[in-house]
């Protein structure tokens, strides 16, 4: 019975104690975002691409925001949709090709890309190349995000 009285007394005092605490913003701490999905932000750097759509040769860096869509990427909605289609619970859509994969030795070109940021609440740090068949397939699964190299047909893959 005594324990029950203590628990009831603590419950009654808890709201008053919380009101006396400084708020997170008053203490200088960042407030959590209202929509955690809005943290989907990627920085994409693509080099030696020839062309990205109608872009020019060289190194290009883009910011991509999804949920809501925005940024400097030339295909924001397409890129967000393509990544969303490959995002499933418990699986990293940006995972590298497994080291024990058997890949065709087809050289797809000198293109390289890095993707960093956050997606689905997880950090992203991915490298992309076109050095063999597996890497070409991985690049093509992200073609709206990374671009299609000059002279390469744009292929849509299902995630």
């Amino acid at each position: 019975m005594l324990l029950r009285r203590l628990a009831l007394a603590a419950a009654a005092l808890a709201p008053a104690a919380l009101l006396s605490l400084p708020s997170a913003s008053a203490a200088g701490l960042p407030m959590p975002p209202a929509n955690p999905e809005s943290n989907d932000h990627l920085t994409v750097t693509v080099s030696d691409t020839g062309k990205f759509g109608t872009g020019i040769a060289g190194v290009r860096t883009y910011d991509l925001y999804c949920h809501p869509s925005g940024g400097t990427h030339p295909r924001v909605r397409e890129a967000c949709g393509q990544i969303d289609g490959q995002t499933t619970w418990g699986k990293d859509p940006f995972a590298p090709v497994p080291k024990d994969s058997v890949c065709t030795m087809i050289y797809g070109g000198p293109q390289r890309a890095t993707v960093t940021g956050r997606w689905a609440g997880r950090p992203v740090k991915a490298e992309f190349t076109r050095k063999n068949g597996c890497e070409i397939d991985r690049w093509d699964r992200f073609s709206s995000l990374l671009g299609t190299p000059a002279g390469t047909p744009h292929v849509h893959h299902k995630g």
Side-chain angles (χ1 to χ4, degrees):
M1 194 68 153
L2 179 63
L3 287 176
R4 183 169 187 237
R5 283 187 200 158
L6 286 173
L8 288 173
L13 292 175
L18 288 175
L19 289 174
S20 67
L21 291 175
S23 70
S25 59
L29 300 174
M31 295 295 288
N35 177 4
E37 287 185 333
S38 66
N39 284 331
D40 293 337
H41 168 240
L42 300 172
T43 300
V44 182
T45 302
V46 187
S47 61
D48 297 323
T49 61
K51 291 185 178 182
F52 189 124
T54 59
I56 59 172
V59 177
R60 296 284 196 193
T61 300
Y62 304 102
D63 283 305
L64 176 70
Y65 293 88
C66 301
H67 315 114
S69 300
T72 59
H73 193 281
R75 297 183 191 147
V76 172
R77 291 187 195 277
E78 284 180 46
C80 290
Q82 190 176 56
I83 301 167
D84 279 340
Q86 297 181 66
T87 303
T88 58
W89 184 259
K91 181 183 170 195
D92 179 5
F94 299 96
V97 172
K99 293 196 183 296
D100 60 349
S101 296
V102 177
C103 305
T104 58
M105 297 312 301
I106 298 172
Y107 180 67
Q111 296 79 19
R112 303 184 68 71
T114 59
V115 178
T116 58
R118 292 191 71 74
W119 186 263
R122 301 175 85 186
V124 174
K125 185 172 183 183
E127 302 279 334
F128 291 84
T129 67
R130 297 178 60 82
K131 66 183 179 181
N132 62 42
C134 295
E135 295 291 347
I136 293 168
D137 183 58
R138 182 172 174 246
W139 182 293
D140 289 348
R141 285 194 329 263
F142 290 92
S143 59
S144 291
L145 177 68
L146 305 176
T148 303
T152 304
H154 185 74
V155 180
H156 291 282
H157 291 266
K158 293 184 179 179

